[in-house]
Amino acid sequence: MNLILLGPPGAGKGTQAKMLVETYQIPQISTGDILRAAVKDGTTLGKEARSYMDKGQLVPDSVVIGIVEERLQQPDCKTGYMLDGFPRTVPQAEALDGMLQNLGSEIDHVVSIEVDNEELVKRLTGRRTCRECGAGFHVMFDPPKQEGVCDKCGGELYQRDDDNVETVTSRLQVYESQTMPLIDYYKTQGKVRPIEGVGEIKEVFNRVTQVLS
Ligand code: AP5
Ligand code: MG
């Protein structure tokens, strides 16, 4: 199964993706995670990406398209994959269609997670992520057993640099202007599966798996 997880910053794409990986045994491909790893490693890609990410702007299409093209050719994508945070612009979606055509593959479902802006700001400003294993938490909605420590691996929890109110506001604007048009793009292809994203994490997960089955 080849999926796209679409939705605004904080909608729960990463949270749901980690649960879907277990259920469907397909890899999560998060362009945000790949870019953050490059920033952390201080690579040329990381240095370029950082200047956009810190402002809540999108990294140029050519850069992310190249990353995904390479990733989709890895052997673990042969039985399916989940794209989290890609595509994010119409040119990215068109490039993806071209890549998949070359690979003789196509997207089955575009899971579009819907959450209102007020809730998104609360989720993003309270998010904490494990430095070691990448597990996600929330100080109020999904708190770890011990503050600052990952339940799964004992790693240190940190707050993402782009999760402050100012950058979040800019990310939400960028989503509306550049990414929302993709909903119509994929509606035309008959692939959009809208999901109500407000509710318990498990409840949202049940909605997603129901739509996919
Ligand atoms: P990226 O990392 O993709 O960030 P994003 O799209 O802004 O989305 P988030 O990761 O912030 O949110 P999420 O939907 O994954 O939410 P989560 O599950 O963590 O991109 C970051 C940056 O990289 C971009 O700004 C851009 O610069 C660059 N970039 C990446 N991809 C790009 C591309 N394709 N093109 C160009 N640039 C690109 O949940 C959030 C919080 O809410 C967590 O704390 C979680 O515990 C909590 N939560 C989750 N579900 C629920 C629930 N049901 N109820 C209550 N709380 C919940
Ligand atoms: Mg994410």
Side-chain angles (χ1 to χ4, degrees), residues 8-191:
K13 302 181 295 294
T15 304
Q16 295 299 325
K18 293 210 159 50
M19 297 162 82
L20 292 165
V21 164
E22 304 283 316
T23 307
Y24 296 104
Q25 303 285 310
I26 52 175
Q28 169 197 13
I29 302 175
S30 159
T31 42
D33 286 351
I34 295 170
L35 293 169
R36 275 185 292 280
V39 169
K40 190 175 159 203
D41 294 345
T43 62
T44 314
L45 165 68
K47 285 182 188 131
E48 187 191 356
R50 181 170 200 159
S51 59
Y52 297 96
M53 295 169 83
D54 282 350
K55 285 185 276 198
Q57 301 293 319
L58 295 181
V59 173
D61 287 338
S62 57
V63 175
V64 280
I65 288 168
I67 292 173
V68 173
E69 190 159 26
E70 209 178 292
R71 183 65 186 85
L72 285 177
Q73 290 173 45
Q74 307 285 316
D76 63 338
C77 294
K78 286 227 155 51
T79 51
Y81 48 80
M82 215 179 322
L83 291 166
D84 161 7
F86 181 93
R88 255 178 152 94
T89 62
V90 170
Q92 288 182 22
E94 288 168 348
L96 177 65
D97 280 345
M99 277 176 225
L100 295 181
Q101 207 163 20
N102 289 337
L103 292 167
S105 153
E106 67 169 324
I107 296 297
D108 299 305
H109 308 279
V110 176
V111 176
S112 172
I113 309 178
E114 299 169 351
V115 176
D116 60 273
N117 280 9
E118 200 184 323
E119 169 81 8
L120 293 172
V121 174
K122 282 189 217 157
R123 287 188 185 182
L124 291 168
T125 50
R127 171 168 51 191
R128 297 293 182 270
T129 309
C130 177
R131 265 191 212 290
E132 304 303 321
C133 73
F137 296 90
H138 190 282
V139 290
M140 283 172 70
F141 306 142
D142 186 18
K145 291 193 184 81
Q146 191 187 335
E147 195 187 321
V149 181
C150 177
D151 286 354
K152 296 186 176 109
C153 76
E156 183 203 352
L157 301 184
Y158 79 102
Q159 181 166 27
R160 261 169 57 175
D161 289 340
D162 59 350
D163 277 348
N164 58 78
V165 175
E166 196 191 348
T167 313
V168 163
T169 306
S170 144
R171 286 161 62 201
L172 291 173
Q173 282 164 357
V174 166
Y175 175 77
E176 275 173 35
S177 61
Q178 302 195 52
T179 308
M180 263 179 54
L182 290 183
I183 297 177
D184 280 337
Y185 181 92
Y186 286 112
K187 264 190 189 156
T188 311
Q189 299 188 5
K191 292 182 174 161

